[in-house]
Amino acid sequence: AEGELGEAVGDRMIENAIGSYSLPIGVATNFVIDGKEYVIPFVVEEASVVAAASNAAKRCQASGGFRCAIDEPVMIGQVEIRDVEAPGEAIAAVEAASAELKERCEALVGEKMVARGGGFRGLEARELGGGVVCVHLLIDCRDAMGANLVNTVAEGVAPRLAELCRGRVGLRILSNLAARRLARCEAVFTRDELGGPEVVEAIVEAYRFAELDPFRACTNNKGVMNAVSAVALATGQDWRAVEAGAHAYCAYKRQLSRDPHSYYAPLATWTLTDEGHLRGAIEMPLAVGLVGGAVKLHPAARANVNILGVTTAADLAKILVAAGLAQNLAALRALATDGIQKGHMRLHARSRDDQRA
């Protein structure tokens, strides 16, 4: 129940460890994801987050809960090649050497990872300007988050890429914008569950504000990440990477769509069904893993993964993205009706009372 770190584990996780820092673990209830019921651990210091997610999850049970789709766990390793005099020729040379580069990458990935279905999935090369060519190495990491694996591959292949491009090696590092490792989730919330057609319309209008304005979209997405980061932290994930990837994707997908309204998009979309119910959908990069890192070292992270009962990174990603969609619905419904402060401050008052005591 305590889940505290011992000194020995803390020393293994970071340098110069002098203690540990505790946050509460709560469980969000009522989640049905792809037909399976879940109790989801959250680690968060903010009042009302767990209650709001649980409340929102209950409101889509009548429609079958959350339905998810998860991409293959492909991460991007970036290799920057500088001082390239003929970028077009360099890109052609890299593409022509794809078979050779695959062999080099898979030798670095290792036989065990390849046997589990991971390994090289392709490459992309593009000119960035100023004599810089960037090569993306696409690596399937299976149930690992993949940072160490991808960095090893990028560093190992970089000298050969520089030869092919007739340039100089620059940076070699994975990208946390995991645009090849997306998680998607959708759910339908009936108008009766939400409080009537007026509430549904108000939620859609509240979403539209985030579509039009990046200042609102940022706060909207913070609400999504209240849940996503809380579950990521509870399960020993690199939640900073998850946060960075989510926000970068909001700018990246708006850039791809060339939408004139804003340069930063909300993570989730909310629309009306033909029957007048509310459909929510979310798409975001989620690089999570169950192999290595804090998920294996931290006793509370191990316990929380056991509570979830997940055995693959894809199943963990489903839970994070569904929790994010539920949290967004809860916030939008509160904003569109009574305002965010009514429920939040009622629960926040408990912590104020404890401080006075």
Side-chain angles (χ1 to χ4, degrees):
E2 294 300 327
E4 293 296 337
L5 288 174
E7 288 185 12
V9 175
D11 277 333
R12 290 176 63 191
M13 292 179 70
I14 66 169
E15 307 76 36
N16 303 331
I18 61 171
S20 61
Y21 184 96
S22 296
L23 288 171
I25 304 172
V27 289
T29 59
N30 303 320
F31 277 84
V32 177
I33 303 172
D34 288 339
K36 184 176 179 180
E37 295 183 2
Y38 289 94
V39 173
I40 304 179
F42 280 45
V43 171
V44 65
E45 86 295 344
E46 184 175 337
S48 79
V49 169
V50 176
S54 301
N55 182 281
K58 186 176 182 179
R59 294 178 187 273
C60 69
Q61 285 184 348
S63 303
F66 301 92
R67 295 169 297 281
C68 299
I70 310 297
D71 283 351
E72 293 297 301
V74 175
M75 296 295 287
I76 298 169
Q78 293 190 293
V79 180
E80 177 200 19
I81 307 298
R82 302 169 181 166
D83 302 334
V84 179
E85 293 184 1
E89 294 178 10
I91 290 171
V94 168
E95 292 173 345
S98 178
E100 174 203 339
L101 293 169
K102 176 181 179 179
E103 288 185 9
R104 289 175 178 267
C105 288
E106 297 211 330
L108 292 161
V109 166
E111 293 180 0
K112 291 183 179 179
M113 176 61 78
V114 174
R116 290 197 296 269
F120 180 83
R121 292 293 179 268
L123 59 80
E124 302 165 338
R126 56 201 172 96
E127 180 184 356
L128 299 185
V132 176
V133 168
C134 180
V135 179
H136 283 184
L137 303 171
L138 309 179
I139 308 297
D140 187 321
C141 302
R142 295 289 87 193
D143 287 319
M145 181 271 185
N148 291 332
L149 175 64
V150 172
N151 291 340
T152 297
V153 173
E155 291 180 0
V157 176
R160 178 55 179 151
L161 289 172
E163 290 176 1
L164 291 167
C165 294
R166 298 179 182 179
R168 177 169 59 91
V169 173
L171 300 188
R172 302 141 294 165
I173 187 72
L174 95 157
S175 174
N176 288 126
L177 176 50
R180 295 296 192 113
R181 197 173 184 174
L182 300 178
R184 302 171 186 84
C185 180
E186 67 174 35
V188 172
F189 302 81
T190 67
R191 55 180 177 268
D192 292 338
E193 284 286 350
L194 292 173
E198 297 84 3
V199 175
V200 172
E201 290 282 357
I203 291 171
V204 173
E205 289 177 347
Y207 153 70
R208 183 62 177 160
F209 184 12
E211 271 286 337
L212 294 171
D213 182 61
F215 293 88
R216 170 60 202 146
C218 179
T219 311
N220 175 87
N221 291 340
K222 186 269 181 183
V224 173
M225 300 311 292
N226 273 348
V228 174
S229 294
V231 182
L233 185 56
T235 55
Q237 305 304 307
D238 185 348
W239 57 270
R240 288 91 53 209
V242 171
E243 286 265 2
H247 292 294
Y249 189 68
C250 292
Y252 175 70
K253 71 176 182 178
R254 185 54 58 86
Q255 182 184 48
L256 292 179
S257 70
R258 301 185 184 277
D259 191 309
H261 295 303
S262 173
Y263 41 82
Y264 176 86
L267 282 164
T269 60
W270 297 94
T271 55
L272 290 174
T273 68
D274 293 339
E275 298 78 21
H277 304 309
L278 182 68
R279 174 182 288 110
I282 186 171
E283 177 184 84
M284 63 184 295
L286 272 176
V288 296
L290 294 176
V291 178
V295 70
K296 292 298 184 184
L297 285 175
H298 199 298
R302 294 198 305 269
N304 289 332
V305 169
N306 288 337
I307 288 172
L308 289 171
V310 295
T311 57
T312 68
D315 284 342
L316 181 57
K318 287 181 183 182
I319 289 167
L320 268 73
V321 73
L325 186 63
Q327 199 76 47
N328 191 213
L329 182 278
L332 289 177
R333 183 176 182 276
L335 285 166
T337 54
D338 296 329
I340 201 71
Q341 289 298 84
K342 182 177 179 181
H344 179 77
M345 293 308 295
R346 183 177 67 250
L347 293 171
H348 185 61
R350 295 167 51 193
S351 64
R352 291 205 315 268
D353 293 341
D354 290 341
Q355 290 171 19
R356 293 192 189 102

